[in-house]
Amino acid sequence: MGGFSYAAPFVYRECEGNGLVALNVNTSTPSFSPCDVTCAAPDWSAGGGTTFGPPIVAAGAVWVVSEGGGLSAYRAGDGTLIYQSAGFGINRFVTPAEAGCRVIVPSHRVIR
């Protein structure tokens, strides 16, 4: 449900009710290992039981939004939380955008 992002070597995907997962893609044998809340390295998961919208990758981070949870950024290589905004409301499947060193998120009738 929703989109995904890719920045070598990972595909980043929201995992309905299980946070965010990063799947390491093996380009020599186009494949990756399945991942759930207990992803084995080099894959990773973050965000626990949160349902996020589609992720984007910008400035070395994976950016996602969640209803009431606001904007979160996870380090692209290992899933460490590096930014968490105050909570705000969103519509389901909202995707952040990046421009001019800013991450922009629609929040109902305003832009954050």
Side-chain angles (χ1 to χ4, degrees), residues 20-49:
L20 176 69
V21 296
L23 304 173
N24 189 284
V25 177
N26 179 344
T27 57
S28 64
T29 60
S31 66
F32 57 87
S33 298
C35 180
D36 56 20
V37 294
T38 59
C39 295
D43 296 343
W44 56 260
S45 65

PDB file of all heavy atoms in Angstrom, residues 20-49:
ATOM      1  N   LEU A  20       9.073   0.856   9.050  1.00  0.00           N
ATOM      2  CA  LEU A  20       9.814   1.016   7.807  1.00  0.00           C
ATOM      3  C   LEU A  20      10.817  -0.117   7.687  1.00  0.00           C
ATOM      4  O   LEU A  20      11.445  -0.481   8.690  1.00  0.00           O
ATOM      5  CB  LEU A  20      10.547   2.366   7.867  1.00  0.00           C
ATOM      6  CG  LEU A  20      11.466   2.747   6.729  1.00  0.00           C
ATOM      7  CD1 LEU A  20      10.657   3.032   5.464  1.00  0.00           C
ATOM      8  CD2 LEU A  20      12.262   3.994   7.115  1.00  0.00           C
ATOM      9  N   VAL A  21      10.978  -0.689   6.508  1.00  0.00           N
ATOM     10  CA  VAL A  21      11.998  -1.711   6.300  1.00  0.00           C
ATOM     11  C   VAL A  21      12.927  -1.284   5.176  1.00  0.00           C
ATOM     12  O   VAL A  21      12.529  -0.584   4.246  1.00  0.00           O
ATOM     13  CB  VAL A  21      11.410  -3.116   5.983  1.00  0.00           C
ATOM     14  CG1 VAL A  21      10.624  -3.646   7.157  1.00  0.00           C
ATOM     15  CG2 VAL A  21      10.580  -3.110   4.728  1.00  0.00           C
ATOM     16  N   ALA A  22      14.187  -1.693   5.288  1.00  0.00           N
ATOM     17  CA  ALA A  22      15.197  -1.467   4.260  1.00  0.00           C
ATOM     18  C   ALA A  22      15.697  -2.829   3.809  1.00  0.00           C
ATOM     19  O   ALA A  22      16.179  -3.620   4.626  1.00  0.00           O
ATOM     20  CB  ALA A  22      16.346  -0.635   4.808  1.00  0.00           C
ATOM     21  N   LEU A  23      15.543  -3.115   2.546  1.00  0.00           N
ATOM     22  CA  LEU A  23      15.947  -4.403   1.991  1.00  0.00           C
ATOM     23  C   LEU A  23      17.179  -4.205   1.129  1.00  0.00           C
ATOM     24  O   LEU A  23      17.160  -3.444   0.157  1.00  0.00           O
ATOM     25  CB  LEU A  23      14.820  -5.000   1.141  1.00  0.00           C
ATOM     26  CG  LEU A  23      13.483  -5.175   1.862  1.00  0.00           C
ATOM     27  CD1 LEU A  23      12.404  -5.597   0.887  1.00  0.00           C
ATOM     28  CD2 LEU A  23      13.628  -6.178   2.991  1.00  0.00           C
ATOM     29  N   ASN A  24      18.263  -4.873   1.477  1.00  0.00           N
ATOM     30  CA  ASN A  24      19.507  -4.777   0.728  1.00  0.00           C
ATOM     31  C   ASN A  24      19.343  -5.547  -0.580  1.00  0.00           C
ATOM     32  O   ASN A  24      19.042  -6.736  -0.578  1.00  0.00           O
ATOM     33  CB  ASN A  24      20.653  -5.355   1.557  1.00  0.00           C
ATOM     34  CG  ASN A  24      21.989  -5.102   0.934  1.00  0.00           C
ATOM     35  OD1 ASN A  24      22.354  -5.755  -0.027  1.00  0.00           O
ATOM     36  ND2 ASN A  24      22.708  -4.161   1.495  1.00  0.00           N
ATOM     37  N   VAL A  25      19.532  -4.855  -1.690  1.00  0.00           N
ATOM     38  CA  VAL A  25      19.343  -5.463  -3.005  1.00  0.00           C
ATOM     39  C   VAL A  25      20.680  -5.980  -3.528  1.00  0.00           C
ATOM     40  O   VAL A  25      21.664  -5.251  -3.557  1.00  0.00           O
ATOM     41  CB  VAL A  25      18.757  -4.447  -4.009  1.00  0.00           C
ATOM     42  CG1 VAL A  25      18.641  -5.057  -5.391  1.00  0.00           C
ATOM     43  CG2 VAL A  25      17.421  -3.941  -3.523  1.00  0.00           C
ATOM     44  N   ASN A  26      20.697  -7.228  -3.937  1.00  0.00           N
ATOM     45  CA  ASN A  26      21.873  -7.829  -4.547  1.00  0.00           C
ATOM     46  C   ASN A  26      21.727  -7.665  -6.056  1.00  0.00           C
ATOM     47  O   ASN A  26      20.978  -8.406  -6.692  1.00  0.00           O
ATOM     48  CB  ASN A  26      21.964  -9.306  -4.159  1.00  0.00           C
ATOM     49  CG  ASN A  26      23.161  -9.992  -4.773  1.00  0.00           C
ATOM     50  OD1 ASN A  26      23.776  -9.498  -5.715  1.00  0.00           O
ATOM     51  ND2 ASN A  26      23.490 -11.148  -4.238  1.00  0.00           N
ATOM     52  N   THR A  27      22.429  -6.705  -6.648  1.00  0.00           N
ATOM     53  CA  THR A  27      22.271  -6.425  -8.078  1.00  0.00           C
ATOM     54  C   THR A  27      22.980  -7.444  -8.965  1.00  0.00           C
ATOM     55  O   THR A  27      22.690  -7.515 -10.151  1.00  0.00           O
ATOM     56  CB  THR A  27      22.775  -5.009  -8.415  1.00  0.00           C
ATOM     57  OG1 THR A  27      24.136  -4.885  -8.003  1.00  0.00           O
ATOM     58  CG2 THR A  27      21.919  -3.959  -7.731  1.00  0.00           C
ATOM     59  N   SER A  28      23.891  -8.257  -8.408  1.00  0.00           N
ATOM     60  CA  SER A  28      24.549  -9.269  -9.233  1.00  0.00           C
ATOM     61  C   SER A  28      23.621 -10.452  -9.515  1.00  0.00           C
ATOM     62  O   SER A  28      23.760 -11.117 -10.531  1.00  0.00           O
ATOM     63  CB  SER A  28      25.849  -9.748  -8.587  1.00  0.00           C
ATOM     64  OG  SER A  28      25.585 -10.393  -7.360  1.00  0.00           O
ATOM     65  N   THR A  29      22.684 -10.707  -8.623  1.00  0.00           N
ATOM     66  CA  THR A  29      21.692 -11.763  -8.835  1.00  0.00           C
ATOM     67  C   THR A  29      20.316 -11.205  -8.498  1.00  0.00           C
ATOM     68  O   THR A  29      19.649 -11.720  -7.610  1.00  0.00           O
ATOM     69  CB  THR A  29      21.963 -12.983  -7.933  1.00  0.00           C
ATOM     70  OG1 THR A  29      21.910 -12.570  -6.568  1.00  0.00           O
ATOM     71  CG2 THR A  29      23.278 -13.639  -8.227  1.00  0.00           C
ATOM     72  N   PRO A  30      19.864 -10.156  -9.167  1.00  0.00           N
ATOM     73  CA  PRO A  30      18.685  -9.363  -8.808  1.00  0.00           C
ATOM     74  C   PRO A  30      17.752 -10.016  -7.789  1.00  0.00           C
ATOM     75  O   PRO A  30      16.826 -10.732  -8.137  1.00  0.00           O
ATOM     76  CB  PRO A  30      17.992  -9.145 -10.142  1.00  0.00           C
ATOM     77  CG  PRO A  30      19.074  -9.245 -11.148  1.00  0.00           C
ATOM     78  CD  PRO A  30      20.075 -10.218 -10.576  1.00  0.00           C
ATOM     79  N   SER A  31      18.062  -9.800  -6.511  1.00  0.00           N
ATOM     80  CA  SER A  31      17.262 -10.398  -5.448  1.00  0.00           C
ATOM     81  C   SER A  31      17.452  -9.625  -4.152  1.00  0.00           C
ATOM     82  O   SER A  31      18.337  -8.781  -4.039  1.00  0.00           O
ATOM     83  CB  SER A  31      17.677 -11.851  -5.235  1.00  0.00           C
ATOM     84  OG  SER A  31      18.999 -11.907  -4.750  1.00  0.00           O
ATOM     85  N   PHE A  32      16.629  -9.938  -3.176  1.00  0.00           N
ATOM     86  CA  PHE A  32      16.781  -9.453  -1.820  1.00  0.00           C
ATOM     87  C   PHE A  32      16.117 -10.456  -0.901  1.00  0.00           C
ATOM     88  O   PHE A  32      15.324 -11.285  -1.324  1.00  0.00           O
ATOM     89  CB  PHE A  32      16.212  -8.041  -1.628  1.00  0.00           C
ATOM     90  CG  PHE A  32      14.762  -7.904  -1.987  1.00  0.00           C
ATOM     91  CD1 PHE A  32      13.764  -8.181  -1.062  1.00  0.00           C
ATOM     92  CD2 PHE A  32      14.393  -7.497  -3.260  1.00  0.00           C
ATOM     93  CE1 PHE A  32      12.434  -8.056  -1.404  1.00  0.00           C
ATOM     94  CE2 PHE A  32      13.061  -7.364  -3.609  1.00  0.00           C
ATOM     95  CZ  PHE A  32      12.081  -7.647  -2.674  1.00  0.00           C
ATOM     96  N   SER A  33      16.458 -10.384   0.385  1.00  0.00           N
ATOM     97  CA  SER A  33      15.876 -11.285   1.364  1.00  0.00           C
ATOM     98  C   SER A  33      14.623 -10.663   1.953  1.00  0.00           C
ATOM     99  O   SER A  33      14.603  -9.467   2.221  1.00  0.00           O
ATOM    100  CB  SER A  33      16.860 -11.566   2.494  1.00  0.00           C
ATOM    101  OG  SER A  33      18.001 -12.200   1.988  1.00  0.00           O
ATOM    102  N   PRO A  34      13.568 -11.457   2.186  1.00  0.00           N
ATOM    103  CA  PRO A  34      12.375 -10.928   2.838  1.00  0.00           C
ATOM    104  C   PRO A  34      12.741 -10.369   4.216  1.00  0.00           C
ATOM    105  O   PRO A  34      13.676 -10.843   4.853  1.00  0.00           O
ATOM    106  CB  PRO A  34      11.449 -12.132   2.966  1.00  0.00           C
ATOM    107  CG  PRO A  34      11.943 -13.106   1.957  1.00  0.00           C
ATOM    108  CD  PRO A  34      13.423 -12.865   1.845  1.00  0.00           C
ATOM    109  N   CYS A  35      11.985  -9.382   4.670  1.00  0.00           N
ATOM    110  CA  CYS A  35      12.282  -8.730   5.937  1.00  0.00           C
ATOM    111  C   CYS A  35      10.984  -8.444   6.668  1.00  0.00           C
ATOM    112  O   CYS A  35      10.000  -8.045   6.057  1.00  0.00           O
ATOM    113  CB  CYS A  35      13.028  -7.432   5.652  1.00  0.00           C
ATOM    114  SG  CYS A  35      13.484  -6.494   7.091  1.00  0.00           S
ATOM    115  N   ASP A  36      10.980  -8.672   7.984  1.00  0.00           N
ATOM    116  CA  ASP A  36       9.842  -8.299   8.801  1.00  0.00           C
ATOM    117  C   ASP A  36      10.362  -7.477   9.970  1.00  0.00           C
ATOM    118  O   ASP A  36      11.393  -6.827   9.841  1.00  0.00           O
ATOM    119  CB  ASP A  36       9.055  -9.530   9.258  1.00  0.00           C
ATOM    120  CG  ASP A  36       9.916 -10.531  10.010  1.00  0.00           C
ATOM    121  OD1 ASP A  36      10.988 -10.146  10.517  1.00  0.00           O
ATOM    122  OD2 ASP A  36       9.498 -11.692  10.104  1.00  0.00           O
ATOM    123  N   VAL A  37       9.705  -7.486  11.088  1.00  0.00           N
ATOM    124  CA  VAL A  37      10.154  -6.674  12.221  1.00  0.00           C
ATOM    125  C   VAL A  37      11.475  -7.154  12.813  1.00  0.00           C
ATOM    126  O   VAL A  37      12.071  -6.467  13.629  1.00  0.00           O
ATOM    127  CB  VAL A  37       9.074  -6.589  13.325  1.00  0.00           C
ATOM    128  CG1 VAL A  37       7.879  -5.837  12.829  1.00  0.00           C
ATOM    129  CG2 VAL A  37       8.687  -7.962  13.825  1.00  0.00           C
ATOM    130  N   THR A  38      11.968  -8.310  12.398  1.00  0.00           N
ATOM    131  CA  THR A  38      13.252  -8.818  12.874  1.00  0.00           C
ATOM    132  C   THR A  38      14.225  -8.993  11.728  1.00  0.00           C
ATOM    133  O   THR A  38      14.798 -10.052  11.534  1.00  0.00           O
ATOM    134  CB  THR A  38      13.061 -10.162  13.609  1.00  0.00           C
ATOM    135  OG1 THR A  38      12.455 -11.094  12.696  1.00  0.00           O
ATOM    136  CG2 THR A  38      12.194 -10.026  14.837  1.00  0.00           C
ATOM    137  N   CYS A  39      14.414  -7.953  10.948  1.00  0.00           N
ATOM    138  CA  CYS A  39      15.309  -8.010   9.794  1.00  0.00           C
ATOM    139  C   CYS A  39      16.737  -8.332  10.215  1.00  0.00           C
ATOM    140  O   CYS A  39      17.250  -7.755  11.172  1.00  0.00           O
ATOM    141  CB  CYS A  39      15.332  -6.663   9.077  1.00  0.00           C
ATOM    142  SG  CYS A  39      13.768  -6.211   8.346  1.00  0.00           S
ATOM    143  N   ALA A  40      17.379  -9.236   9.466  1.00  0.00           N
ATOM    144  CA  ALA A  40      18.783  -9.559   9.714  1.00  0.00           C
ATOM    145  C   ALA A  40      19.667  -8.590   8.929  1.00  0.00           C
ATOM    146  O   ALA A  40      19.323  -8.185   7.820  1.00  0.00           O
ATOM    147  CB  ALA A  40      19.057 -10.993   9.287  1.00  0.00           C
ATOM    148  N   ALA A  41      20.790  -8.195   9.503  1.00  0.00           N
ATOM    149  CA  ALA A  41      21.733  -7.298   8.822  1.00  0.00           C
ATOM    150  C   ALA A  41      22.167  -7.940   7.507  1.00  0.00           C
ATOM    151  O   ALA A  41      22.269  -9.149   7.430  1.00  0.00           O
ATOM    152  CB  ALA A  41      22.936  -7.044   9.716  1.00  0.00           C
ATOM    153  N   PRO A  42      22.372  -7.176   6.434  1.00  0.00           N
ATOM    154  CA  PRO A  42      22.397  -5.715   6.402  1.00  0.00           C
ATOM    155  C   PRO A  42      21.013  -5.075   6.288  1.00  0.00           C
ATOM    156  O   PRO A  42      20.910  -3.851   6.299  1.00  0.00           O
ATOM    157  CB  PRO A  42      23.231  -5.405   5.174  1.00  0.00           C
ATOM    158  CG  PRO A  42      22.911  -6.528   4.242  1.00  0.00           C
ATOM    159  CD  PRO A  42      22.730  -7.742   5.138  1.00  0.00           C
ATOM    160  N   ASP A  43      19.935  -5.867   6.151  1.00  0.00           N
ATOM    161  CA  ASP A  43      18.588  -5.288   6.148  1.00  0.00           C
ATOM    162  C   ASP A  43      18.311  -4.676   7.514  1.00  0.00           C
ATOM    163  O   ASP A  43      18.948  -5.041   8.500  1.00  0.00           O
ATOM    164  CB  ASP A  43      17.534  -6.371   5.873  1.00  0.00           C
ATOM    165  CG  ASP A  43      17.677  -7.002   4.487  1.00  0.00           C
ATOM    166  OD1 ASP A  43      18.356  -6.428   3.623  1.00  0.00           O
ATOM    167  OD2 ASP A  43      17.097  -8.080   4.290  1.00  0.00           O
ATOM    168  N   TRP A  44      17.350  -3.762   7.580  1.00  0.00           N
ATOM    169  CA  TRP A  44      16.963  -3.202   8.877  1.00  0.00           C
ATOM    170  C   TRP A  44      15.508  -2.786   8.860  1.00  0.00           C
ATOM    171  O   TRP A  44      14.912  -2.627   7.806  1.00  0.00           O
ATOM    172  CB  TRP A  44      17.862  -2.053   9.308  1.00  0.00           C
ATOM    173  CG  TRP A  44      17.988  -0.885   8.373  1.00  0.00           C
ATOM    174  CD1 TRP A  44      19.019  -0.639   7.509  1.00  0.00           C
ATOM    175  CD2 TRP A  44      17.087   0.221   8.221  1.00  0.00           C
ATOM    176  NE1 TRP A  44      18.808   0.532   6.831  1.00  0.00           N
ATOM    177  CE2 TRP A  44      17.634   1.089   7.249  1.00  0.00           C
ATOM    178  CE3 TRP A  44      15.872   0.567   8.816  1.00  0.00           C
ATOM    179  CZ2 TRP A  44      17.010   2.271   6.857  1.00  0.00           C
ATOM    180  CZ3 TRP A  44      15.247   1.739   8.418  1.00  0.00           C
ATOM    181  CH2 TRP A  44      15.823   2.571   7.452  1.00  0.00           C
ATOM    182  N   SER A  45      14.959  -2.646  10.054  1.00  0.00           N
ATOM    183  CA  SER A  45      13.605  -2.128  10.203  1.00  0.00           C
ATOM    184  C   SER A  45      13.618  -1.087  11.309  1.00  0.00           C
ATOM    185  O   SER A  45      14.471  -1.118  12.194  1.00  0.00           O
ATOM    186  CB  SER A  45      12.605  -3.245  10.515  1.00  0.00           C
ATOM    187  OG  SER A  45      12.888  -3.818  11.766  1.00  0.00           O
ATOM    188  N   ALA A  46      12.681  -0.154  11.250  1.00  0.00           N
ATOM    189  CA  ALA A  46      12.609   0.921  12.241  1.00  0.00           C
ATOM    190  C   ALA A  46      11.165   1.382  12.373  1.00  0.00           C
ATOM    191  O   ALA A  46      10.362   1.201  11.464  1.00  0.00           O
ATOM    192  CB  ALA A  46      13.500   2.086  11.819  1.00  0.00           C
ATOM    193  N   GLY A  47      10.851   1.978  13.494  1.00  0.00           N
ATOM    194  CA  GLY A  47       9.521   2.549  13.669  1.00  0.00           C
ATOM    195  C   GLY A  47       8.521   1.636  14.319  1.00  0.00           C
ATOM    196  O   GLY A  47       7.355   2.011  14.472  1.00  0.00           O
ATOM    197  N   GLY A  48       8.932   0.423  14.693  1.00  0.00           N
ATOM    198  CA  GLY A  48       8.047  -0.490  15.411  1.00  0.00           C
ATOM    199  C   GLY A  48       6.695  -0.693  14.767  1.00  0.00           C
ATOM    200  O   GLY A  48       6.605  -0.980  13.593  1.00  0.00           O
ATOM    201  N   GLY A  49       5.629  -0.489  15.528  1.00  0.00           N
ATOM    202  CA  GLY A  49       4.271  -0.727  15.046  1.00  0.00           C
ATOM    203  C   GLY A  49       3.638   0.453  14.332  1.00  0.00           C
ATOM    204  O   GLY A  49       2.430   0.478  14.147  1.00  0.00           O
TER     205      GLY A  49
END
